[in-house]
Amino acid sequence: MAGRPHRINESLIEPEARRAQRRKHKFLEFTHSSTRATMLMVAAALLAFAIENTPALPYFNSLWHDVHLGFTIGAFSPEISLGHFINDFLMALFFLMVGLEIKYEMTAGELTEPRKAILPIVAAAGGALMPALVYLALNWGGEFQGGWGVPMANDIAFCLGILALLGTRVPLGLRAFLSTLTIADDIIAILVIAVFYTSSLDVWWLAAALACFAVLLVLNRLHVYDLAPYMLVGVVMWVCVLLSGVHATLAGVLLALAIPAKSEVRLGRVGEWFAAKGSTVEERYDPGEPDIAQKEYLREVEKIHRVSRMTIPPVTRLDSILYAPVYFAILPLFAFSNAAVVIVGSDPLSVVTNPVAIGVFCGLLFGKPLGIFLATLITVKIGASDLPEGVSWGHIVGVSILGGVGFTMAIFVTNLAFVDAETIAVAKAAILAASIVAGIAGFLFLRQEALRADGGDGGDDDASANGAR
């Protein structure tokens, strides 16, 4: 949802401030690239993999489990390990971003038009059901059958980042289809986490969390557009959800759904107001006075600034604030602390023959693409929806393969599904292997599809001619 940052007209800026403005703009451009965010997560995962297979392993593990964060107020001394702080608190901000994307799609995106939305939603459902069935088929009745949720979810950042590498060679309809599919996939994953991966439930804390959510909805109905009250109540709700036994990151999604998506001002009249206010500002300017003494002028400019800020919907403001920290700090940190797999001293054969590894790998690499493609095919063939404009079945195959990239969400569910460290490591190894294969295969397939489309009819004619010979 976060757009490309806009450059301010440099003719308005003093010469000595232009260099700093350019540096800021370059930083914003860098941190608004899904491709760079994807590469950074890959680098963090590879770095963790390298560290965990060196003598530094005990110290690396100790960092996440033995280092605790907390504070003391009298007898009240809550604390949390660094690993849990990343997985429970910082990842709640990631889920807040996911919630903002869901709200955008429901308010202004593909999810607002039922006929357009039904195709990616059904595709996401098929892409969630099939890998779970594949995993269960390989682990039914065993001690690890509870891991069926691991291969269900794909990684929105990785999928969109890989698609972005193809630039304009893929149709816009395919981007919209994949974006909506991943959003619907995240909704399914969130419901699975809430319903099936809640170990114990404290009804009173859950009631307190729901009360906080009710307060957020009241703030929305009262047309409170300042983000501060929402964030304050959101933190309290996070604590209540954490203590209730439901995974605390779900508080981020609930918070996002309560934040207003409408502008505080009437957008249709903003241009007219700015035009009138611009004339007033010019009248207040005294070229003979220093900047700090231009009190009436600055007062009018402050009014323009206030209205400009009020024009941006709270959902958009929060998305802009969170985008860089989430994708360039929190997700790489999550990958660094959770994606590592120890291979030194382990038996490779025992890993590849482990039913968890086989179930996760096959679920992601085969179940996920098959589920997405079959659900899409059936939906189109029965006439419930049509393929997006410019999208071919070859594109759908490529995107279905990309669906096998699990990474962030799959690793997240792994930490909830299993307790044994060895089983978690095996599942992560399978996730990384399947995600790498699916990512590369999906990219190459879509690239080949783009090259075939660029060849046009000429390529087909040549092929026909060769066949005739």
Side-chain angles (χ1 to χ4, degrees):
M1 189 170 66
R4 189 179 181 85
H6 297 287
R7 185 185 295 274
I8 297 175
N9 190 334
E10 292 192 354
S11 65
L12 298 174
I13 305 173
E14 290 289 346
E16 60 270 18
R18 289 179 186 173
R19 186 175 300 173
Q21 184 65 35
R22 287 170 186 162
R23 285 197 299 267
K24 180 182 178 182
H25 182 76
K26 287 180 179 178
F27 173 77
L28 289 174
E29 281 194 327
F30 179 86
T31 55
H32 279 69
S33 167
S34 57
T35 304
R36 293 190 185 104
T38 300
M39 295 303 103
L40 185 58
M41 277 190 283
V42 171
L46 292 176
L47 179 60
F49 178 81
I51 292 174
E52 285 230 347
N53 289 278
T54 68
L57 172 60
Y59 307 101
F60 188 73
N61 288 337
S62 177
L63 174 66
W64 312 119
H65 301 296
D66 298 338
V67 175
H68 285 72
L69 306 174
F71 59 90
T72 300
I73 303 177
F76 184 59
S77 301
E79 64 175 30
I80 187 172
S81 70
L82 182 57
H84 279 109
F85 176 74
I86 294 169
N87 294 343
D88 291 344
F89 180 75
L90 293 184
M91 285 301 285
L93 297 179
F94 165 69
F95 276 80
L96 174 56
M97 277 285 295
V98 171
L100 294 176
E101 293 287 352
I102 292 171
K103 180 137 191 174
Y104 177 83
E105 291 296 331
M106 292 174 63
T107 306
E110 295 291 319
L111 295 180
T112 59
E113 300 182 42
R115 186 168 175 81
K116 285 185 177 181
I118 191 172
L119 187 63
I121 289 175
V122 172
L129 179 62
M130 187 65 74
L133 293 177
V134 169
Y135 182 93
L136 284 173
L138 295 166
N139 286 272
W140 185 257
E143 60 179 313
F144 303 119
Q145 72 176 32
W148 56 268
V150 174
M152 286 183 66
N154 61 16
D155 191 292
I156 183 171
F158 267 91
C159 289
L160 295 178
I162 293 170
L163 195 65
L165 292 173
L166 294 164
T168 57
R169 286 180 289 184
V170 294
L172 291 176
L174 188 65
R175 297 176 190 276
F177 175 81
L178 180 59
S179 297
T180 311
L181 186 151
T182 53
I183 290 298
D185 191 275
D186 282 340
I187 294 173
I188 295 170
I190 289 164
L191 292 174
V192 167
I193 291 170
V195 175
F196 297 101
Y197 291 102
T198 296
S199 55
S200 58
L201 192 64
D202 188 310
V203 177
W204 292 110
W205 280 114
L206 182 60
L210 293 176
C212 290
F213 184 57
V215 171
L216 291 170
L217 295 179
V218 169
L219 290 174
N220 185 303
R221 295 295 295 173
L222 291 176
H223 305 292
V224 175
Y225 292 95
D226 188 5
L227 286 173
Y230 292 96
M231 301 308 293
L232 181 61
V233 176
V235 170
V236 176
M237 182 171 65
W238 175 83
V239 173
C240 294
V241 173
L242 177 67
L243 297 174
S244 73
V246 178
H247 203 275
T249 52
L250 300 180
V253 178
L254 294 177
L255 173 59
L257 296 178
I259 294 176
K262 293 182 65 177
S263 174
E264 193 172 350
V265 300
R266 297 177 181 177
L267 293 183
R269 301 185 61 180
V270 169
E272 177 186 343
W273 185 87
F274 279 147
K277 186 59 65 175
S279 301
T280 304
V281 168
E282 290 296 329
E283 294 172 0
R284 298 289 188 272
Y285 181 68
D286 185 352
E289 292 286 338
D291 290 353
I292 197 171
Q294 304 275 355
K295 293 185 178 180
E296 290 189 9
Y297 177 84
L298 295 176
R299 192 178 297 114
E300 295 298 323
V301 170
E302 176 59 29
K303 291 179 183 178
I304 294 175
H305 169 73
R306 188 165 62 251
V307 172
S308 298
R309 183 169 178 78
M310 291 166 60
T311 301
I312 310 299
V315 162
T316 306
R317 291 206 309 268
L318 185 57
D319 180 82
S320 180
I321 293 169
L322 289 176
Y323 189 91
V326 166
Y327 284 106
F328 285 84
I330 292 173
L331 288 183
L333 186 58
F334 175 82
F336 185 61
S337 62
N338 287 276
V341 177
V342 179
I343 60 172
V344 174
S346 61
D347 180 9
L349 184 61
S350 67
V351 174
V352 298
T353 57
N354 188 294
V356 171
I358 297 172
V360 171
F361 184 84
C362 293
L364 281 172
L365 193 57
F366 304 115
K368 195 80 176 173
L370 185 61
I372 293 173
F373 183 79
L374 287 180
T376 305
L377 180 66
I378 293 170
T379 305
V380 172
K381 291 301 181 182
I382 65 174
S385 186
D386 301 314
L387 288 181
E389 185 177 354
V391 174
S392 67
W393 283 108
H395 289 130
I396 297 298
V397 172
V399 163
S400 299
I401 297 171
L402 276 186
V405 179
F407 203 71
T408 305
M409 289 296 283
I411 291 174
F412 190 85
V413 177
T414 295
N415 293 332
L416 301 177
F418 304 114
V419 177
D420 178 59
E422 184 177 347
T423 305
I424 291 174
V426 167
K428 288 179 181 179
I431 291 167
L432 294 176
S435 296
I436 290 170
V437 175
I440 294 173
F443 171 79
L444 292 176
F445 194 97
L446 287 171
R447 183 175 180 273
Q448 187 61 35
E449 183 68 17
L451 292 174
R452 187 197 63 77
D454 289 342
D457 296 333
D460 294 336
D461 291 340
D462 290 342
S464 299
N466 291 333
R469 291 193 191 101

